[in-house]
Amino acid sequence: MTTSQPQRIAIVGGGPGGLYTAALLKRLAPDREVTVWERNTPDDTFGFGVVLSDETLGGIEHADPPVYEALQHHFIRWNDIDIVHRNTRQTSGGHGFAALGRKRLLQILHDRCRTLGVDLRFHTEAPYPAWLAETYDLVVAADGVHSTTREAFADAFRPQLTPHRCRYIWLATDTAFDAFRFEIAETEHGVMQLHGYPYAPDASTVIVEMREEVWRAAGFDTLDERESIDRCAKIFTDALGGRTLHSNDSTWTTFRTVVNERWSHGNVVLLGDAAHTAHFSIGSGTKLAVEDALSLAACLTEQPTLESALAAYEEERKPVVASTQRAARASLEWFEDLALHLDQPPRRFAFNLLTRSRRVTHDNLRLRDPHFTEAVEREFGCPPGTPPMFTPFRLRGLTLRNRVVVSPMDMYSATDGVPGDFHLVHLGARALGGAGLVMTEMVCVSPEGRITPGCTGLYTAQQTAAWRRITEFAHTRAPGTAIGVQLGHSGRKGSTRLMWEGMDEPLPDGNWPLVAASPLPYKPGSQIPRELSRAQLTDLRQQFTAAAVRAARAGFDLLELHCAHGYLLSGFLSPLTNRRTDAYGGSLAKRLRFPLEVFDAVRERWPAERPMTVRISATDWADGGTTADDAVEIARAFAAHGVDAIDVSTGQVVADERPEFGRSYQTPFADRIRHETGVPVIAVGAISSWDDVNSLILAGRTDLCALARPHLHDPHWTLHAAAEQGYSGPGADWPAPYLAGSRPPRTGRTDAPKPRLTLTS
């Protein structure tokens, strides 16, 4: 491959992505031969309306003004979103949508392609992919979610297709909704939802969606197309104003998320739904395909070779698509679990729906529609001018002044388990920084329970005194800040090097023996632990209770039991790490037995007025491990034993985990536990902004938010969040010596004289 200017181009698929790619490539080089194969006729299309963002339209305007101008004449624009639930409609404005009919979009692109001289071959199956690859300089596979091109080269593209739990059907009605409409129907068979939006002066797209089990219970699996449509129209008669629904060879289907490890193979490249899919609830399928086309055309123009052009295209688009797919997955899972949220107050339910994908946030919504957002805040109980994160929260006898928690962070800086000056400065600074609750790192209950030689403990009087020094500083110098201790035992993950010397790597010398639920090493090369005997389980319970007594003497306000991240108690909970055949292994109830025994023993010795929380890994991110369903049952079990809140983390249980990282990626697990069990939760996991905290709290997905890295970056993160939001109430008191810093210092001169006269020649 010596050029990125291929002359003979084959495009498989005549949807918007394929057609727009053809038009762009032909426009950039009119002497090219560009051929599009589409197995359907020009008038065939599935779905009805297409929504495009201003960002995408801007790209079209710059790249191909004639297409942009043609689109402008046919757009329907609106600003509102209506959410109808239990006969109450909530309206949020300022969102800005533009849509047109899918057939109209295709006609515009057909005309543009013909004007430019693209060879459009309708009602014609594309030749076999291998033949196309041999015959043409470039093959663009824009043949959709069921791409035959992708499947022909599956070994190269390595696609992963994930089915989801809802059935849906694309329909239309002969009226234009005046807003993007979400309507919830609670039927005898279960919850159903309507997604609708206008795409013409007299027409709207209507998508009806429901869980698979609801779809079957309602009998849709036995109805033909016309019967299904009539049933949907009857269920949503109020939304439709009694109008009928129309089909376009519409069938019930299950959404599938498509992800490909690679997007190109030789001279074959994937585009649009063939490369990736994003759930219709965030309306991004056509948008992404058009943006793919713009990027591919640009890379082919900019790069010296076809190989480098396709690599650049993939490098540019993959992060954007991954971000969109994370948002789409959050949205589709929210709708899958819609029943969890139905009992929320009306405005909070609407806010929850609007912010479900994490792309619309509290601050963003305040800009779009301040009146709606202020109404949600009032319903939540925010005093005037108080962001949700600065409202108080009560756990047993402890009232936290705000919803921010400094998450436990191992510092690996102790000597013989004794916290020193470093810990005083580290935790003291974060106590002064305004968080409602500051947590210690995992404090180990025995020397053998340490992760590394630098880990802290609570198994000696000297350690107790050292911790007392820290809690007294926090209580004296940062009144209103609570300080909590996290108690744990490393289990099979102990006797390792300090993090910066080799995380989870065994010590080169001076190792101590490890114990665990089962004799399984954490990873190849790790020490093999001994399986705990009944007698050793009794000893461990006593170590935890002794540490809890010392923690109370040290002055901690809250105690958290660490049952996550593959440490000892977590090792009992996961089926991947607990292979016992006695009363402490097997079923989930048996795997819970020892952690619950430890919890009960600690709760008995921990002061009754002080709260106790438990951190769990809600999923192992590994096949055969703890699932989200298991996490709900684990939380229920601890709730039945008196836990005050569940700190919901994930993973770090097995070395070969496959986490699905992303912004706030662990919060859906907390959300589900909170709504299914009723127990308060602490959400963690890539929560990095005060806007995220406000959004999660106000939507009811969590009660508290724990942040780690932001507090490493800025010990005064909470106070700065208050200052940036213009808040100066009781939820964020600045320490008296720091009051002068409550406003950012000026960084340059701002009083320069303004020009009074402009001369022109």
Side-chain angles (χ1 to χ4, degrees):
M1 299 178 190
T2 59
T3 178
S4 66
Q5 302 299 317
Q7 290 302 108
R8 301 190 70 228
I9 299 172
I11 297 177
V12 184
L19 291 169
Y20 193 51
T21 301
L24 288 173
L25 295 180
K26 187 69 173 175
R27 180 174 181 269
L28 288 168
D31 59 335
R32 278 176 172 148
E33 176 189 329
V34 181
T35 305
V36 177
W37 279 271
E38 170 54 53
R39 63 184 177 182
N40 297 302
T41 66
D43 294 330
D44 286 341
T45 185
F46 303 98
F48 296 91
V50 174
V51 180
L52 294 175
S53 70
D54 289 340
E55 181 182 28
T56 304
L57 291 173
I60 294 173
E61 181 180 14
H62 288 291
D64 199 344
V67 170
Y68 177 78
E69 288 299 323
L71 292 173
Q72 288 290 86
H73 291 302
H74 297 285
F75 271 130
I76 295 293
R77 295 184 180 274
W78 72 98
N79 291 309
D80 290 349
I81 297 176
D82 284 347
I83 298 161
V84 183
H85 169 47
R86 293 182 177 171
N87 300 317
T88 301
R89 180 170 72 175
Q90 301 294 330
T91 299
S92 172
H95 296 278
F97 296 100
L100 78 165
R102 186 175 174 89
K103 284 189 176 182
R104 178 66 65 186
L105 173 61
L106 292 175
Q107 288 169 359
I108 291 170
L109 294 174
H110 291 162
D111 292 345
R112 183 60 173 156
C113 285
R114 290 191 182 100
T115 300
L116 292 167
V118 174
D119 181 4
L120 299 177
R121 301 184 182 183
F122 293 106
H123 213 232
T124 305
E125 288 284 351
Y128 192 68
W131 183 87
L132 288 173
E134 292 175 0
T135 308
Y136 286 82
D137 300 329
L138 174 65
V139 179
V140 180
D143 47 348
V145 64
H146 302 293
S147 171
T148 56
T149 314
R150 183 187 66 224
E151 293 309 307
F153 299 111
D155 290 344
F157 294 124
R158 292 190 282 277
Q160 179 181 343
L161 280 68
T162 305
H164 299 285
R165 296 181 289 172
C166 283
R167 291 270 184 167
Y168 68 96
I169 188 169
W170 287 85
L171 303 167
T173 187
D174 293 334
T175 186
F177 293 141
D178 56 6
F180 206 124
R181 188 179 184 96
F182 295 98
E183 180 134 351
I184 314 303
E186 295 177 71
T187 75
E188 60 183 315
H189 307 294
V191 183
M192 305 175 188
Q193 57 259 21
L194 175 148
H195 312 243
Y197 58 88
Y199 67 86
D202 58 353
S204 295
T205 291
V206 172
I207 307 167
V208 177
E209 183 186 25
M210 65 197 73
R211 288 278 289 257
E212 173 83 18
E213 60 270 25
V214 176
W215 180 77
R216 292 189 181 280
F220 282 109
D221 58 328
T222 66
L223 303 181
D224 63 24
E225 181 183 2
R226 185 69 254 166
E227 290 170 330
S228 278
I229 295 168
D230 291 343
R231 176 77 65 84
C232 289
K234 184 177 180 180
I235 292 169
F236 292 103
T237 186
D238 289 343
L240 300 171
R243 296 176 179 85
T244 58
L245 287 168
H246 307 297
S247 168
N248 182 12
D249 292 326
S250 304
T251 59
W252 290 98
T253 188
T254 302
F255 186 81
R256 295 195 296 175
T257 297
V258 175
V259 176
N260 285 276
E261 189 173 319
R262 294 183 58 192
W263 288 15
S264 65
H265 170 59
N267 64 341
V268 180
V269 63
L270 302 177
L271 184 142
D273 282 355
H276 47 71
T277 57
H279 193 248
F280 57 81
S281 62
I282 66 167
S284 290
T286 301
K287 171 184 181 294
L288 289 176
V290 169
E291 290 173 354
D292 284 352
L294 288 163
S295 173
L296 179 61
C299 290
L300 287 168
T301 302
E302 297 162 354
Q303 295 296 320
T305 67
L306 181 59
E307 183 178 14
S308 63
L310 298 185
Y313 160 70
E314 186 170 336
E315 183 178 1
E316 177 181 319
R317 291 298 296 156
K318 256 191 169 180
V320 177
V321 168
S323 175
T324 302
Q325 287 188 313
R326 285 193 295 270
R329 179 153 189 157
S331 179
L332 78 86
E333 289 179 347
W334 193 91
F335 281 110
E336 285 180 340
D337 294 327
L338 177 61
L340 293 178
H341 309 289
L342 294 177
D343 292 330
Q344 283 190 299
R347 290 190 182 91
R348 286 189 79 192
F349 176 84
F351 180 87
N352 198 350
L353 188 152
L354 291 170
T355 60
R356 67 196 181 279
S357 73
R358 306 171 205 146
R359 292 208 154 181
V360 175
T361 63
H362 172 262
D363 196 47
N364 180 264
L365 203 52
R366 283 182 66 86
L367 294 174
R368 298 185 188 198
D369 191 342
H371 296 297
F372 172 80
T373 309
E374 288 167 8
V376 180
E377 291 172 348
R378 286 195 302 271
E379 187 176 81
F380 176 72
C382 295
T386 301
M389 66 186 290
F390 292 114
T391 56
F393 190 73
R394 186 175 180 84
L395 289 170
R396 201 171 283 242
L398 176 67
T399 298
L400 302 177
R401 65 181 175 184
N402 62 53
R403 307 297 185 101
V404 179
V405 179
V406 176
S407 197
M409 294 176 279
D410 289 321
M411 293 289 106
Y412 309 108
S413 299
T415 302
D416 295 326
V418 179
D421 289 347
F422 176 89
H423 298 85
L424 174 66
V425 173
H426 168 68
L427 293 170
R430 280 137 191 93
L432 291 170
L437 173 64
V438 176
M439 292 298 301
T440 69
E441 62 194 82
M442 185 176 88
V443 177
C444 305
V445 299
S446 69
E448 299 78 19
R450 292 176 297 164
I451 308 166
T452 75
C455 291
T456 58
L458 257 175
Y459 45 85
T460 70
Q462 183 183 6
Q463 293 162 357
T464 306
W467 283 117
R468 182 79 192 181
R469 177 182 175 225
I470 293 168
T471 63
E472 285 180 348
F473 176 88
H475 292 147
T476 302
R477 304 299 296 181
T481 298
I483 186 163
V485 62
Q486 186 188 69
L487 289 185
H489 186 293
S490 62
R492 69 179 188 152
K493 295 178 74 175
S495 192
T496 62
R497 305 181 190 195
L498 304 183
M499 180 181 66
W500 47 87
E501 294 176 354
M503 188 172 179
D504 297 322
E505 294 297 322
L507 290 168
D509 53 62
N511 286 280
W512 56 85
L514 303 181
V515 294
S518 298
L520 303 169
Y522 177 61
K523 63 179 187 178
S526 295
Q527 185 183 153
I528 299 175
R530 298 194 311 273
E531 180 171 299
L532 285 158
S533 67
R534 290 291 188 96
Q536 288 174 312
L537 295 178
T538 300
D539 291 341
L540 273 166
R541 282 198 303 273
Q542 292 173 348
Q543 289 173 358
F544 273 96
T545 56
V549 171
R550 293 189 180 97
R553 291 175 185 159
F556 287 106
D557 302 298
L558 174 148
L559 185 149
E560 179 165 282
L561 194 63
H562 202 337
C563 297
H565 299 171
Y567 297 122
L568 189 134
L569 296 179
S570 170
F572 275 87
L573 292 173
S574 172
L576 296 177
T577 53
N578 184 343
R579 305 290 176 82
R580 300 174 73 99
T581 58
D582 62 3
Y584 293 95
S587 67
L588 179 57
K590 290 183 177 180
R591 300 197 307 273
L592 268 161
R593 183 176 175 182
F594 183 63
L596 289 173
E597 287 179 355
V598 172
F599 178 89
D600 290 342
V602 171
R603 180 69 270 182
E604 185 177 353
R605 301 300 300 274
W606 183 243
E609 73 281 3
R610 301 187 204 179
M612 203 173 148
T613 64
V614 170
R615 175 169 277 205
I616 66 169
S617 286
T619 176
D620 293 343
W621 299 116
D623 293 340
T626 298
T627 66
D629 290 341
D630 294 333
V632 171
E633 295 309 312
I634 290 168
R636 271 205 185 96
F638 280 110
H641 284 246
V643 77
D644 295 295
I646 300 291
D647 187 354
V648 187
S649 186
T650 65
Q652 302 180 54
V653 175
V654 292
D656 59 346
E657 65 178 1
R658 297 182 299 280
E660 296 175 3
F661 290 119
R663 178 164 147 250
S664 305
Y665 71 106
Q666 296 177 155
T667 57
F669 298 96
D671 187 1
R672 182 176 173 190
I673 286 171
R674 183 179 188 272
H675 283 93
E676 288 203 30
T677 68
V679 66
V681 296
I682 305 169
V684 303
I687 303 170
S688 57
S689 71
W690 49 259
D691 193 17
D692 285 339
V693 176
N694 283 327
S695 300
L696 293 167
I697 297 295
L698 193 57
R701 295 180 197 134
T702 188
D703 299 285
L704 300 166
C705 287
L707 301 93
R709 292 184 184 183
H711 284 113
L712 290 178
H713 176 73
D714 178 6
H716 294 83
W717 184 88
T718 307
L719 292 179
H720 291 155
E724 288 169 16
Q725 296 175 80
Y727 173 74
S728 58
D733 281 333
W734 281 76
Y738 287 177
L739 273 174
S742 61
R743 295 180 181 177
R746 293 182 177 180
T747 56
R749 183 179 176 184
T750 60
D751 60 346
K754 306 244 180 337
R756 302 296 296 158
L757 181 65
T758 301
L759 298 177
T760 60
S761 58

